Amino acid sequence: MSAVLDLLTVALALAIVLGLAFFSLKLLKQVQAGPATDDQIRYLRALPVGQRERLTLVAYRDEVFLLGVTAGQITVLDRRARTPEEIAAEARAGEEARLRAARPAAAVRQLIGKTLARERPDY
């Protein structure tokens, strides 16, 4: 019986350490990223046109750039202003992603709260 209790204690300690590591890394990633600003370059998409060449679409501030990327250089092929609809859609997508990322944390907090209160969790 003592061996089972020791094994259970080690498993619980390991779960706590792994949980702390996971949340610490997640928090560190958010702190390092910082708040989103208009000065960030956002990758939109790319289209390979050869073995080492591609066309890449990026957004920077209020413009969208079509770049030709090769092994030796990057060339601006076209640029245009971003429409207000594109800016609004990107803001909505960012907000939805932030909300989706917050849901699991809230569910985990609720489960831990019920477990600590010795309530039966509803799965």
Side-chain angles (χ1 to χ4, degrees), residues 74-102:
I74 299 173
T75 307
V76 177
L77 301 175
D78 189 27
R79 63 194 281 185
R80 67 171 172 81
R82 291 174 50 201
T83 64
E85 292 83 17
E86 289 175 324
I87 295 170
E90 186 176 306
R92 278 193 308 272
E95 182 63 22
E96 289 172 3
R98 189 187 65 76
L99 290 174
R100 274 194 309 272

Side-chain angles (χ1 to χ4, degrees):
M1 189 67 169
S2 171
V4 172
L5 188 58
D6 289 343
L7 185 61
L8 206 55
T9 304
V10 169
L12 180 63
L14 180 62
I16 290 171
V17 168
L18 290 176
L20 285 173
F22 174 76
F23 288 113
S24 297
L25 288 174
K26 200 168 189 175
L27 179 66
L28 183 63
K29 183 178 178 183
Q30 288 178 353
V31 169
Q32 285 180 342
T37 64
D38 286 341
D39 287 345
Q40 289 184 343
I41 297 173
R42 287 174 302 285
Y43 167 83
L44 300 176
R45 63 181 56 111
L47 175 69
V49 291
Q51 281 188 339
R52 302 178 82 184
E53 299 84 19
R54 70 181 48 89
L55 296 174
T56 303
L57 203 58
V58 297
Y60 178 68
R61 294 190 178 170
D62 291 334
E63 292 185 292
V64 176
F65 296 90
L66 177 63
L67 306 175
V69 180
T70 66
Q73 69 181 34
I74 299 173
T75 307
V76 177
L77 301 175
D78 189 27
R79 63 194 281 185
R80 67 171 172 81
R82 291 174 50 201
T83 64
E85 292 83 17
E86 289 175 324
I87 295 170
E90 186 176 306
R92 278 193 308 272
E95 182 63 22
E96 289 172 3
R98 189 187 65 76
L99 290 174
R100 274 194 309 272
R103 281 189 205 129
V108 168
R109 282 194 302 271
Q110 182 182 12
L111 178 64
I112 290 173
K114 287 184 176 185
T115 303
L116 292 176
R118 297 190 184 267
E119 294 178 17
R120 184 169 178 243
D122 13 311
Y123 293 104

